[in-house]
Amino acid sequence: MDKTNCSIADLEEMARQVRRDVIRMLVLAKSGHTGGSLGLADVFAAMYFKLLDHSPEKFATAANQDFMFVSNGHIAPVWYSVLARSGYFPTKKLAFLRKIDSCLQGHPTTDPCIPGVRIASGSLGQGLSAAIGAALSFKTDGKPNTVYCMMGDGECQEGQIWEAAMSAAHFKTDNLIGIVDHNNQQIDGEVEAVMGLEPFADKWKAFGWEVLSCDGNSIADFVQTVEKAKTFSGKGKPVVILAKTLMGKGVSFMEGSMADGSNWHGKAPSAADGEKALAELPETRFGDF
């Protein structure tokens, strides 16, 4: 899709295809992280097909492209889907998630066969530090690039996140936009039950960040919020977007918390689950891998 002519309806259709990819990848792999990948399909579709300045064909060499870091690397399936569908590698590779000798590992790592991934991630708490380093490098060199960092809300229980947040404000990394998947879910249950983060927005503000909030499952709202975040560039503060999402979004029986308090954070669908899920996600013009 041409991002200059890409409509919200186009992005919504792509997000549905991404969700189909996620389900099919995880059924084939028989392991992996379903809930967060489904919940972030709208965010990733908007980023890669509308908002990011990026160069799939010249990933290693293009000078003015934006950088995207995914700190919560367990949501690799949704990232791999948009990377493939935006041209970083063939979509047929999606069938080999978590297979022996496949470069599509369960948590992303750098590999020449999957350009688009700048650092290995999934050891939670580390991605924001790397993103700050890239942002400071661009500022030092006087370059206009924007750096984005995706994080999970459960990940924000990590102390390194807040050390990094403090340093980002101190060094005025105003070319950095953080995005938090604010779904109130982590592997052990609801975030607020495991270790509460509220008042979450106030914490980021206290650490010196501009804070925006949006519905991360509304592509229109998310796009508008990122565009607003970009207007803070050069004004002395990093920006964080708290994107409210629903874990498992798009597949009714995977959404949110289950009756027993569990969720689909790290649970892969069975073949039967996959059939039921795909029945709720109609095929798109983009086609399955």
Side-chain angles (χ1 to χ4, degrees):
M1 293 190 296
D2 177 2
K3 72 176 187 177
T4 58
N5 299 314
C6 186
S7 69
I8 297 300
D10 291 330
L11 294 171
E12 289 171 344
E13 185 177 10
M14 178 57 77
R16 189 168 78 248
Q17 181 60 58
V18 169
R19 289 186 168 98
R20 286 184 62 86
D21 289 349
V22 166
I23 293 296
R24 297 183 71 246
M25 292 165 71
L26 290 167
V27 168
L28 290 170
K30 298 181 182 178
S31 67
H33 293 77
T34 305
S37 295
L38 291 174
L40 282 169
D42 304 300
V43 166
F44 274 83
M47 289 301 299
Y48 276 83
F49 295 95
K50 183 70 175 179
L51 295 165
L52 277 178
D53 287 331
H54 62 120
S55 302
E57 304 84 4
K58 298 180 179 179
F59 168 70
T61 58
N64 294 325
Q65 60 186 320
D66 296 333
F67 275 28
M68 179 73 166
F69 292 91
V70 178
S71 189
N72 51 337
H74 57 272
I75 50 86
V78 68
W79 197 14
Y80 293 153
S81 172
V82 295
L83 286 173
R85 292 194 174 275
S86 57
Y88 285 87
F89 56 86
T91 57
K92 64 183 180 182
K93 286 189 178 181
L94 297 177
F96 300 99
L97 173 71
R98 289 179 172 244
K99 301 297 184 184
I100 296 295
D101 296 328
S102 171
C103 52
L104 299 188
Q105 298 186 36
H107 292 72
T109 189
T110 54
D111 192 295
C113 75
I114 47 166
V117 178
R118 297 189 182 276
I119 60 167
S121 64
S123 184
L124 296 179
Q126 297 180 2
L128 183 58
S129 297
I132 291 166
L136 288 174
S137 176
F138 289 136
K139 282 179 67 69
T140 299
D141 292 342
K143 294 181 177 179
N145 313 56
T146 301
V147 177
Y148 296 87
C149 183
M150 175 64 64
M151 299 166 274
D153 53 2
E155 180 180 11
C156 292
Q157 296 162 344
E158 297 276 357
Q160 186 173 347
I161 290 290
W162 299 106
E163 292 181 60
M166 184 165 53
S167 69
H170 177 79
F171 292 109
K172 296 180 171 56
T173 51
D174 50 12
N175 55 343
L176 172 66
I177 298 174
I179 303 169
V180 179
D181 179 23
H182 197 9
N183 63 13
N184 193 35
Q185 298 286 339
Q186 60 189 108
I187 196 166
D188 291 325
E190 295 187 357
V191 170
E192 285 304 300
V194 175
M195 185 181 292
L197 294 172
E198 297 300 337
F200 196 31
D202 289 343
K203 284 183 170 69
W204 286 98
K205 290 174 185 177
F207 274 70
W209 289 57
E210 293 288 347
V211 182
L212 303 174
S213 299
C214 71
D215 180 349
N217 292 132
S218 165
I219 290 178
D221 191 19
F222 179 74
V223 168
Q224 183 179 40
T225 304
V226 173
E227 295 291 2
K228 182 177 180 180
K230 290 180 180 180
T231 68
F232 289 99
S233 179
K235 295 183 179 179
K237 287 185 176 183
V239 182
V240 66
I241 298 170
L242 306 183
K244 186 70 176 177
T245 68
L246 179 62
M247 176 172 277
K249 177 68 176 179
V251 178
S252 60
F253 62 92
M254 296 179 175
E255 293 180 344
S257 297
M258 304 298 103
D260 63 359
S262 66
N263 57 41
W264 281 80
H265 173 91
K267 179 182 176 182
S270 66
D273 291 330
E275 288 184 11
K276 287 172 58 181
L278 291 174
E280 297 187 21
L281 298 165
E283 293 185 12
T284 76
R285 63 188 149 121
F286 304 111
D288 291 331
F289 62 84

